[in-house]
Amino acid sequence: MLEGMLAGLTTILSLKMIMIVIGGCLIGTFIGMLPGLGPMSIIAIMIPVAITLGDPSAALILLAGVYYGAIFGGSTSSILINAPGVAGTVATSFDGYPMARDGKAGKALTIAAIASFTGGTIGAVLLMGFAPALVQVALLFHSAEYFALMVLGLSAIAAFAGRGQVSKALMMTCLGLMLATVGESSLFQMPRFTMGLMDLQSGIGFITLAMAMFALPEAILLILDKTRSKTPDQQQNEISQLRITKDEAKTMAPVVGRQSIQGFLIGVLPGAGATIASFLGYAVERNISSPKEQEEFGKGSVKGLAAPETANNAACTGSFVPLLTLGIPGSGTTAILLGALVALNVTPGPRLMTDQPEIFWGVIMSMYIGNVVLLILNLPLIPYIAKLLTVPRNYLIPFILFFTLMGVYIGQNNATELLILVGLGVMATVFRIGGYPLAPLLIGFILGPMLENNFARSIQLYDGISFLWERPMTGVLLILSLLLVCLPSVRGLLQRRRQTKAETKTV
C-alpha cells in the first residue's frame, strides 16, 4: 500500500495535475449549484474534453473532481431555494432549507461544507485502507441482498413522518412507487400506465419530480403567503451569522463520524450510491436521537443537515471501490465514468491496482487534494452565495420558477415534462397544505425501479420467494428494516407509559 501511495503522490504532485483537480472541482461545484444540471450530465459532456488530455490518469482525475465537486456544490440550491437538482442532495433540503428560511443560510452552508469535506476525506482514507477487503464484501451482494437493501431504504419513511403521521408517510411512499412504474420496465420492455403518450414511455424524470415536489410548491406558497417574506435588511443581518458554535460542533462531530463510515460502506455496494446513503443517514440519525432532538428534524436540525451531507460525499468516494476494483458501476454517474475508462483503453478490475497503480492511487490521492480545494473554494464564497436570499420576493419567485423550468427542460429535452411538472407541482402544493410529507414519495420513486428489478431477478433465480429465508444476509437486512420502521412506534409507546406513570404518581 505504501508503494501505491507513493505512486499516487508522484502522479498527482505536479502543477498540471493540481490544476486539473482544481478545474474539475470548480466545474463540478458550479454545475452542482444549478438545479437540474447534475453530475451525470456534466460528466457526459466532459468526457470528450477528458479524452483530449491523452493521459488516462489525468482524465479520470478530472472527471472524479467534477463528480464529487457536483455533489459538494449540490447542497447550495437545496439549502437556498429548496430545489435539489441532484438526487443525493434531496435529504439536505429537509433541514437545510428551513434553516435558511430562519435566517441561518450562511450557517447552513457552513455546516454543509464542513460535513461534506469531512465525509469525503474520511471516505478517501477508508478507500485507501480497505479497498481490497471491501471488494470481497461487495461480491457477496446479489439480487436478493439488493432487494433487501432497497426495502431498508424505503423503511426510512419512519424518519420523515411526524407523530401520528406514519400512515400518511406510508401512503406517500406507495404513491412514489406507483409513479416509478410509469414507462417501460427494464425486465419486460413494455410500456405501462403511459395513457398512450409516447413521451411517458421512458417514465417520469427524477428532475421533474424533484422540482415538482420541492421547488414549484415553494414558489406557489411564496405567492400565497405574504407573511413569509422578509425585508432585505433583516436577511442581510442574519446572513452574517456564518460560524458554528461549540455546542453545534459537538452535536455534529459524532454524526459526521458515524455517517462517514456508514455512507462509505453503502457507496461500496454496486447500485446503492449517494442517494440511498443520504436517506439512510438522515433516517438513522433521527431514529437514534432523543425525542426532543427528533422534534427539531425538518425544522432546521444541525444533525438533520450534517447527516445526509456527510453520507452522500462519503458514498461518492465509496462508489469508486466497485468501479475501479470490479468494473461495476455503483451509480448512474459511475456508469458514465466506466464508459470513460473504456474509451481511454483502461480496463477496471482486480488487476488495475497492480497493473496500473498510477491510475488507481492517483485518483485516491487526488480526492484528498480535491476535498481541501472544495473547502477552500466554498467557505470564503458562502457570504456571497447566501446573498441570494437578500433578493426581494418579487424577483426570487421568477428566479425559482426559471431554474425549475430550465432544469426540467434541459434534463429531459421534452416539453411534455413541463406539463407534468405543473400538474405534479399543484398536487404537491395540496399535499403540503394537507400536512402530507413529500420526502417519502420521492424515496419511493427513486428506489422503486431498483426494488422491482431485484425482486423479479430474485424470484427468477430462486423460483419463488424462498430467497427471503435461504440467504442469511437478506434476512438480516429485512429484520433491520422492520426495526427501523417499528422503532418510532415503540419509542412513542414507552414515552406514553412513562407519562402515564408520572401522572399516576402526581395524583
Side-chain angles (χ1 to χ4, degrees):
M1 188 175 72
L2 183 60
E3 291 179 0
M5 290 175 60
L6 292 174
L9 286 172
T10 304
T11 302
I12 196 66
L13 289 180
S14 67
L15 182 61
K16 176 187 173 182
M17 288 296 189
I18 291 175
M19 292 304 294
I20 286 172
V21 172
I22 294 173
C25 291
L26 272 171
I27 294 169
T29 300
F30 286 108
I31 292 299
M33 289 179 184
L34 299 175
L37 295 175
M40 290 179 66
S41 303
I42 189 59
I43 287 176
I45 295 169
M46 291 293 293
I47 285 177
V49 178
I51 292 174
T52 58
L53 295 174
D55 182 0
S57 300
L60 192 58
I61 286 170
L62 173 66
L63 295 175
V66 171
Y67 179 26
Y68 51 77
I71 298 296
F72 199 106
S75 60
T76 303
S77 60
S78 295
I79 291 171
L80 295 183
I81 60 174
N82 200 26
V86 181
T89 61
V90 169
T92 302
S93 64
F94 299 152
D95 282 280
Y97 183 68
M99 196 177 289
R101 259 180 36 198
D102 288 341
K104 300 175 182 176
K107 181 172 287 190
L109 291 169
T110 302
I111 292 170
I114 294 171
S116 299
F117 168 77
T118 310
T121 303
I122 294 176
V125 173
L126 294 172
L127 175 61
M128 181 179 63
F130 299 104
L134 289 171
V135 172
Q136 303 302 319
V137 175
L139 286 172
L140 295 174
F141 272 66
H142 298 152
S143 298
E145 283 74 32
Y146 283 119
F147 162 72
L149 187 65
M150 297 308 112
V151 174
L152 184 63
L154 288 172
S155 67
I157 60 165
F160 305 105
R163 289 185 179 178
Q165 287 193 322
V166 176
S167 58
K168 286 185 177 180
L170 187 60
M171 289 169 58
M172 297 301 284
T173 305
C174 292
L175 181 57
L177 290 170
M178 291 166 63
L179 291 174
T181 62
V182 175
E184 291 184 356
S185 167
S186 60
L187 291 174
F188 306 109
Q189 299 297 321
M190 291 181 65
R192 305 174 297 181
F193 313 116
T194 59
M195 297 175 289
L197 296 174
M198 291 290 293
D199 292 329
L200 283 177
Q201 284 200 353
S202 58
I204 299 170
F206 160 73
I207 297 298
T208 304
L209 191 64
M211 295 298 181
M213 291 298 107
F214 296 98
L216 200 58
E218 193 56 40
I220 294 173
L221 291 174
L222 276 172
I223 295 170
L224 296 176
D225 188 359
K226 295 181 180 180
T227 61
R228 294 176 63 187
S229 61
K230 294 184 180 181
T231 64
D233 293 336
Q234 287 175 322
Q235 288 181 337
Q236 183 62 46
N237 292 334
E238 292 169 335
I239 285 171
S240 63
Q241 300 174 9
L242 302 177
R243 294 184 179 180
I244 59 175
T245 63
K246 288 184 178 180
D247 290 337
E248 289 169 338
K250 288 179 180 178
T251 302
M252 282 178 60
V255 175
V256 168
R258 283 191 296 266
Q259 294 310 316
S260 295
I261 297 172
Q262 178 180 299
F264 177 78
L265 292 174
I266 292 171
V268 167
L269 303 175
T275 305
I276 294 176
S278 61
F279 283 134
L280 283 180
Y282 188 94
V284 168
E285 291 303 329
R286 185 187 186 280
N287 286 333
I288 65 174
S289 297
S290 64
K292 183 179 179 181
E293 290 176 326
Q294 286 184 4
E295 293 293 328
E296 297 176 6
F297 276 72
K299 301 175 183 177
S301 167
V302 173
K303 286 187 173 183
L305 176 56
E309 273 300 291
T310 305
N312 63 25
N313 280 270
C316 284
T317 308
S319 66
F320 279 86
V321 173
L323 175 67
L324 296 177
T325 56
L326 295 174
I328 301 172
S331 62
T333 308
T334 50
I336 296 175
L337 287 173
L338 178 62
L341 283 172
V342 173
L344 291 163
N345 295 320
V346 176
T347 305
R351 294 196 59 83
L352 180 64
M353 198 183 302
T354 54
D355 293 347
Q356 293 175 296
E358 70 281 358
I359 295 177
F360 182 85
W361 292 103
V363 171
I364 293 176
M365 300 312 294
S366 74
M367 290 179 180
Y368 289 100
I369 298 174
N371 277 291
V372 173
V373 168
L374 286 168
L375 191 66
I376 293 172
L377 284 174
N378 280 268
L379 283 179
L381 292 175
I382 283 173
Y384 305 101
I385 296 170
K387 284 184 179 178
L388 179 64
L389 292 184
T390 64
V391 178
R393 188 182 63 167
N394 293 339
Y395 299 106
L396 184 61
I397 293 170
F399 178 81
I400 294 173
L401 290 174
F402 170 75
F403 274 102
T404 301
L405 296 173
M406 184 191 73
V408 168
Y409 187 76
I410 290 176
Q412 300 294 323
N413 198 22
N414 185 352
T416 305
E417 292 290 328
L418 298 178
L419 299 176
I420 297 171
L421 169 73
V422 174
L424 292 174
V426 172
M427 183 180 72
T429 306
V430 174
F431 281 139
R432 278 187 61 171
I433 293 172
Y436 286 81
L438 297 176
L441 187 150
L442 205 59
I443 294 173
F445 180 80
I446 292 171
L447 302 185
M450 293 183 281
L451 180 80
E452 178 189 4
N453 294 342
N454 285 294
F455 182 70
R457 290 193 198 101
S458 300
I459 287 179
Q460 291 172 357
L461 287 171
Y462 293 90
D463 196 25
I465 61 170
S466 60
F467 66 91
L468 295 176
W469 54 83
E470 286 183 3
R471 298 189 65 84
M473 197 178 299
T474 302
V476 169
L477 289 172
L478 291 175
I479 290 170
L480 285 174
S481 304
L482 186 63
L483 290 175
L484 197 58
V485 172
C486 295
L487 185 61
S489 300
V490 173
R491 276 189 169 180
L493 180 63
L494 293 175
Q495 189 174 2
R496 285 193 296 271
R497 283 185 176 180
R498 284 195 295 267
Q499 288 177 350
T500 304
K501 288 181 180 179
E503 290 173 359
T504 304
K505 288 181 180 179
T506 54
V507 172

